[in-house]
Amino acid sequence: MRRIDFIVIHCTATPQDTRPAAIQQYWQQQLKWKSPGYHYLIDKFGASIQLATEDRICNGVAGHNAHSIHVSYIGGVDAANRPLDNRTDAQRKTMRELVSRLKRQYPEARVQGHRDFPFVKKACPSFDARKEFEDL
């Protein structure tokens, strides 16, 4: 089992009704990634979709993927593509449950947003993940 130092929270920076298959297709065809960007993706209805097993390395944060688990919600931007925490109540609930489980499984891991890593110039996940999950 690989060492997990971070549980990284992301947004897709897409409309909330973006299909998971379209996100995966973008990674494969446009970015030419062999691995997905996240381990878990949460749709607007709160369904958690596992895109990769936790033993696999995903492409969530350059330079930090070997020791990270990546969780994302579909959304995170407004109609003008500006950062916005537009998680639905169902997404918030599922994310909380999933991060709680991951934190129990990897108690030493720090929960933080993509934006909280050095040299990252993104607003992702469009909210303060450290603060939101500081009680875990």
Side-chain angles (χ1 to χ4, degrees):
M1 181 160 70
R2 56 190 188 106
R3 184 184 87 235
I4 301 301
D5 296 329
F6 298 100
I7 299 166
V8 187
I9 309 303
H10 299 267
C11 67
T12 59
T14 64
Q16 290 175 299
D17 60 353
T18 302
R19 293 178 312 111
I23 295 165
Q24 291 176 292
Q25 183 177 16
Y26 173 75
W27 293 332
Q28 293 167 350
Q29 294 180 0
Q30 300 297 316
L31 300 179
K32 306 296 184 197
W33 288 355
K34 294 189 183 340
S35 296
Y38 322 119
H39 292 87
Y40 297 96
L41 184 62
I42 303 169
D43 73 14
K44 69 180 180 179
F45 302 107
S48 175
I49 304 142
Q50 187 169 7
L51 302 177
T53 57
E54 293 171 18
D55 62 320
R56 285 188 58 199
I57 296 172
C58 289
N59 291 315
V61 181
H64 298 278
N65 294 320
H67 303 290
S68 297
I69 299 290
H70 301 280
V71 176
S72 184
Y73 69 100
I74 299 177
V77 293
D78 66 13
N81 213 35
R82 292 180 301 245
L84 176 68
D85 180 6
N86 56 4
R87 290 174 293 161
T88 63
D89 289 341
Q91 284 175 315
R92 288 176 190 272
K93 180 179 185 290
T94 299
M95 183 176 281
R96 180 97 184 155
E97 291 168 353
L98 180 56
V99 172
S100 294
R101 180 186 66 77
L102 291 169
K103 187 67 175 148
R104 285 190 304 273
Q105 189 171 344
Y106 307 104
E108 301 302 315
R110 287 182 283 176
V111 180
Q112 63 185 52
H114 186 172
R115 71 183 191 182
D116 298 318
F117 285 86
F119 310 111
V120 171
K121 306 264 189 270
K122 300 178 178 192
C124 177
S126 299
F127 69 95
D128 187 343
R130 286 178 176 166
K131 184 172 183 174
E132 181 148 336
F133 299 109
E134 68 187 351
D135 62 315
L136 299 180

